[in-house]
Amino acid sequence: QPRTTIFGEWRFNRDDSDGPQQKLQEAQQDRSSVNGGYGGGGPRVGFPGGGMGGGGRRMGQQGMSDEERQKMQELMNPANRLTVADLSDRGEIDVTDDQQRKLTLVTDGRKLQKSKDANNQEVAARWSGKQIVTDEKGPHGKMSRTYELSYDGTQLHETLNIPMGRSNSTLLVRYVYDAYGPPPAGAASAPGAANASPATPTGSAPKQ
Protein backbone atom coordinates (compact mmCIF):
# COMPACT_ATOMS: atom_id res chain seq x y z
CA GLN A 1 0.00 0.00 0.00
CA PRO A 2 1.54 3.35 -1.06
CA ARG A 3 2.37 5.80 1.70
CA THR A 4 1.53 9.49 1.75
CA THR A 5 4.21 10.39 4.34
CA ILE A 6 7.70 9.37 5.39
CA PHE A 7 6.30 8.15 8.70
CA GLY A 8 5.94 4.51 9.69
CA GLU A 9 8.11 1.39 9.42
CA TRP A 10 10.56 0.75 6.60
CA ARG A 11 12.73 -2.21 5.64
CA PHE A 12 16.13 -1.86 3.94
CA ASN A 13 16.25 -2.71 0.21
CA ARG A 14 19.86 -3.65 -0.54
CA ASP A 15 19.30 -4.13 -4.27
CA ASP A 16 17.95 -0.61 -4.82
CA SER A 17 20.46 1.07 -2.49
CA ASP A 18 23.93 2.34 -3.29
CA GLY A 19 26.89 0.20 -2.26
CA PRO A 20 28.49 2.38 0.45
CA GLN A 21 31.94 0.81 0.16
CA GLN A 22 32.07 1.46 -3.59
CA LYS A 23 30.84 5.03 -3.14
CA LEU A 24 33.46 5.64 -0.44
CA GLN A 25 36.25 4.31 -2.65
CA GLU A 26 35.11 6.52 -5.54
CA ALA A 27 35.10 9.58 -3.29
CA GLN A 28 38.57 8.72 -2.00
CA GLN A 29 39.85 8.37 -5.56
CA ASP A 30 38.46 11.81 -6.38
CA ARG A 31 40.12 13.20 -3.29
CA SER A 32 43.38 11.45 -4.08
CA SER A 33 43.50 13.04 -7.53
CA VAL A 34 42.87 16.46 -5.99
CA ASN A 35 45.73 15.92 -3.54
CA GLY A 36 48.26 14.93 -6.16
CA GLY A 37 47.92 11.18 -6.01
CA TYR A 38 48.37 10.62 -2.28
CA GLY A 39 45.72 8.76 -0.32
CA GLY A 40 44.32 12.09 0.79
CA GLY A 41 43.98 11.30 4.46
CA GLY A 42 40.51 9.92 3.84
CA PRO A 43 38.78 7.34 5.97
CA ARG A 44 39.87 4.01 4.54
CA VAL A 45 38.05 1.87 7.04
CA GLY A 46 37.04 -1.75 6.83
CA PHE A 47 33.37 -2.73 6.99
CA PRO A 48 31.76 -6.00 7.99
CA GLY A 49 32.11 -8.28 4.99
CA GLY A 50 33.83 -5.51 3.05
CA GLY A 51 37.22 -7.16 2.98
CA MET A 52 39.20 -3.98 2.39
CA GLY A 53 42.29 -5.54 3.95
CA GLY A 54 45.02 -4.29 6.23
CA GLY A 55 46.56 -2.00 3.63
CA GLY A 56 43.34 -0.06 3.37
CA ARG A 57 43.17 0.42 7.11
CA ARG A 58 46.79 1.55 7.40
CA MET A 59 46.38 4.32 4.87
CA GLY A 60 44.42 7.47 5.24
CA GLN A 61 43.59 7.54 8.94
CA GLN A 62 45.83 10.52 9.57
CA GLY A 63 43.81 13.41 10.92
CA MET A 64 40.85 11.22 11.91
CA SER A 65 39.99 10.53 15.52
CA ASP A 66 38.54 7.25 16.73
CA GLU A 67 35.20 8.99 17.04
CA GLU A 68 35.34 10.16 13.42
CA ARG A 69 36.23 6.69 12.16
CA GLN A 70 33.38 5.22 14.19
CA LYS A 71 31.01 7.82 12.75
CA MET A 72 32.01 6.89 9.20
CA GLN A 73 31.52 3.19 9.91
CA GLU A 74 28.04 3.86 11.28
CA LEU A 75 27.11 5.91 8.22
CA MET A 76 28.38 3.20 5.89
CA ASN A 77 26.34 0.49 7.60
CA PRO A 78 22.62 1.17 7.05
CA ALA A 79 19.98 -0.20 9.39
CA ASN A 80 17.89 -3.19 8.39
CA ARG A 81 14.75 -1.42 9.54
CA LEU A 82 13.76 2.15 10.34
CA THR A 83 10.79 3.57 12.17
CA VAL A 84 10.05 7.24 11.48
CA ALA A 85 7.75 8.80 14.08
CA ASP A 86 5.93 12.11 13.65
CA LEU A 87 6.36 14.14 16.83
CA SER A 88 5.94 17.51 15.14
CA ASP A 89 3.75 18.69 18.04
CA ARG A 90 7.00 18.50 20.05
CA GLY A 91 9.07 20.02 17.25
CA GLU A 92 10.83 16.82 16.23
CA ILE A 93 10.85 13.71 14.07
CA ASP A 94 12.27 10.53 15.62
CA VAL A 95 14.12 7.98 13.49
CA THR A 96 14.77 4.68 15.30
CA ASP A 97 16.50 1.64 13.79
CA ASP A 98 16.30 -2.08 14.54
CA GLN A 99 19.27 -1.78 16.93
CA GLN A 100 17.38 0.78 19.05
CA ARG A 101 19.55 3.67 17.90
CA LYS A 102 17.49 6.85 17.85
CA LEU A 103 18.21 9.98 15.84
CA THR A 104 15.98 12.91 16.81
CA LEU A 105 15.51 15.45 14.01
CA VAL A 106 14.83 18.74 15.78
CA THR A 107 12.70 20.96 13.54
CA ASP A 108 11.66 23.80 15.86
CA GLY A 109 15.08 25.45 16.15
CA ARG A 110 15.52 24.72 19.86
CA LYS A 111 18.95 24.19 21.38
CA LEU A 112 20.18 20.66 20.85
CA GLN A 113 20.74 18.45 23.88
CA LYS A 114 24.23 16.95 23.87
CA SER A 115 24.21 13.27 24.71
CA LYS A 116 27.12 11.00 25.55
CA ASP A 117 24.99 8.08 24.37
CA ALA A 118 25.91 7.42 20.74
CA ASN A 119 22.59 5.58 20.34
CA ASN A 120 20.49 8.62 21.25
CA GLN A 121 21.46 11.79 19.40
CA GLU A 122 19.76 15.05 18.41
CA VAL A 123 20.48 16.88 15.14
CA ALA A 124 19.06 20.05 13.64
CA ALA A 125 16.71 19.53 10.70
CA ARG A 126 14.36 21.50 8.47
CA TRP A 127 11.59 20.76 6.03
CA SER A 128 12.32 21.56 2.38
CA GLY A 129 9.07 20.92 0.55
CA LYS A 130 8.31 17.25 1.20
CA GLN A 131 11.91 16.45 2.21
CA ILE A 132 13.38 16.73 5.67
CA VAL A 133 17.08 17.67 5.67
CA THR A 134 19.47 17.47 8.62
CA ASP A 135 22.40 19.72 9.48
CA GLU A 136 24.79 17.68 11.60
CA LYS A 137 28.39 16.87 12.42
CA GLY A 138 30.01 14.28 10.17
CA PRO A 139 33.41 12.62 10.00
CA HIS A 140 34.89 15.71 8.27
CA GLY A 141 32.88 18.54 9.73
CA LYS A 142 29.37 19.35 8.51
CA MET A 143 27.22 16.81 6.68
CA SER A 144 23.55 16.34 5.93
CA ARG A 145 21.09 13.57 5.30
CA THR A 146 17.79 13.84 3.48
CA TYR A 147 14.69 11.73 4.03
CA GLU A 148 12.04 11.75 1.33
CA LEU A 149 9.24 9.58 -0.01
CA SER A 150 9.59 8.02 -3.46
CA TYR A 151 7.31 9.36 -6.17
CA ASP A 152 5.07 6.28 -5.99
CA GLY A 153 4.89 6.25 -2.19
CA THR A 154 6.32 2.75 -1.78
CA GLN A 155 9.86 3.61 -0.64
CA LEU A 156 11.76 5.90 1.70
CA HIS A 157 15.00 7.39 0.38
CA GLU A 158 17.76 8.38 2.82
CA THR A 159 20.55 10.32 1.09
CA LEU A 160 23.84 11.06 2.87
CA ASN A 161 25.86 14.10 1.75
CA ILE A 162 29.32 13.91 3.36
CA PRO A 163 32.08 16.39 2.37
CA MET A 164 35.46 14.65 2.26
CA GLY A 165 37.72 17.02 4.18
CA ARG A 166 39.60 19.87 2.54
CA SER A 167 39.13 18.62 -1.01
CA ASN A 168 36.10 19.43 -3.12
CA SER A 169 34.98 15.80 -3.31
CA THR A 170 31.70 14.78 -1.69
CA LEU A 171 30.49 11.34 -0.70
CA LEU A 172 26.87 10.85 -1.76
CA VAL A 173 25.17 7.62 -0.70
CA ARG A 174 21.50 6.78 -1.09
CA TYR A 175 19.83 4.09 0.99
CA VAL A 176 16.41 2.81 -0.05
CA TYR A 177 13.81 1.36 2.32
CA ASP A 178 10.56 -0.40 1.37
CA ALA A 179 7.32 0.31 3.19
CA TYR A 180 6.81 -2.34 5.87
CA GLY A 181 3.61 -3.00 7.76
CA PRO A 182 0.55 -0.75 7.79
CA PRO A 183 0.93 3.03 7.52
CA PRO A 184 0.68 4.86 10.85
CA ALA A 185 -2.80 5.95 11.84
CA GLY A 186 -3.54 9.65 11.66
CA ALA A 187 -0.43 10.59 9.65
CA ALA A 188 -0.35 13.99 7.99
CA SER A 189 -1.36 14.09 4.34
CA ALA A 190 2.12 15.14 3.22
CA PRO A 191 5.62 14.65 4.68
CA GLY A 192 6.16 18.39 4.67
CA ALA A 193 3.16 19.08 6.86
CA ALA A 194 5.38 19.61 9.88
CA ASN A 195 3.63 22.82 10.84
CA ALA A 196 0.17 21.34 10.75
CA SER A 197 -1.97 21.57 13.85
CA PRO A 198 -1.32 18.76 16.31
CA ALA A 199 -3.76 15.87 16.21
CA THR A 200 -6.54 15.93 18.75
CA PRO A 201 -5.35 14.08 21.85
CA THR A 202 -6.86 10.66 22.42
CA GLY A 203 -9.94 10.84 24.59
CA SER A 204 -10.69 14.51 23.92
CA ALA A 205 -12.32 14.16 20.52
CA PRO A 206 -15.76 15.77 20.28
CA LYS A 207 -18.65 13.40 20.80
CA GLN A 208 -20.64 12.39 17.78
Side-chain angles (χ1 to χ4, degrees), residues 53-126:
R57 287 193 297 271
R58 283 194 298 271
M59 291 180 62
Q61 291 198 4
Q62 299 163 351
M64 286 190 74
S65 66
D66 291 340
E67 181 183 358
E68 290 168 340
R69 283 194 293 271
Q70 181 181 357
K71 176 73 171 179
M72 182 62 82
Q73 286 218 14
E74 291 174 355
L75 293 169
M76 295 297 99
N77 286 281
N80 291 318
R81 291 186 186 178
L82 287 180
T83 300
V84 184
D86 180 13
L87 298 176
S88 51
D89 57 334
R90 287 161 42 182
E92 65 186 54
I93 306 298
D94 286 358
V95 182
T96 308
D97 68 14
D98 54 316
Q99 299 180 43
Q100 299 306 308
R101 294 180 298 190
K102 185 173 79 169
L103 184 68
T104 299
L105 313 184
V106 176
T107 58
D108 62 0
R110 69 176 184 266
K111 184 177 180 180
L112 301 178
Q113 298 294 318
K114 292 185 178 180
S115 172
K116 294 182 179 179
D117 183 0
N119 294 329
N120 189 3
Q121 296 289 320
E122 289 190 354
V123 298
R126 69 185 188 281

Side-chain angles (χ1 to χ4, degrees), residues 1-14 16-18 78-85 93-97 103 105 127 130-133 145-160 173-180 191-192:
Q1 181 181 354
R3 300 277 178 89
T4 58
T5 75
I6 64 172
F7 306 121
E9 295 187 38
W10 305 89
R11 183 164 52 186
F12 184 57
N13 184 325
R14 190 173 301 276
D16 287 356
S17 298
D18 289 336
N80 291 318
R81 291 186 186 178
L82 287 180
T83 300
V84 184
I93 306 298
D94 286 358
V95 182
T96 308
D97 68 14
L103 184 68
L105 313 184
W127 287 101
K130 294 184 178 182
Q131 304 175 340
I132 188 166
V133 185
R145 67 182 95 198
T146 302
Y147 296 93
E148 61 182 325
L149 197 66
S150 64
Y151 70 93
D152 60 1
T154 62
Q155 293 180 323
L156 173 72
H157 294 171
E158 178 187 14
T159 304
L160 308 181
V173 182
R174 187 179 74 167
Y175 297 134
V176 178
Y177 295 85
D178 294 328
Y180 180 76

Side-chain angles (χ1 to χ4, degrees), residues 29-42:
Q29 289 171 358
D30 290 343
R31 185 176 179 181
S32 177
S33 63
V34 169
N35 291 338
Y38 180 63

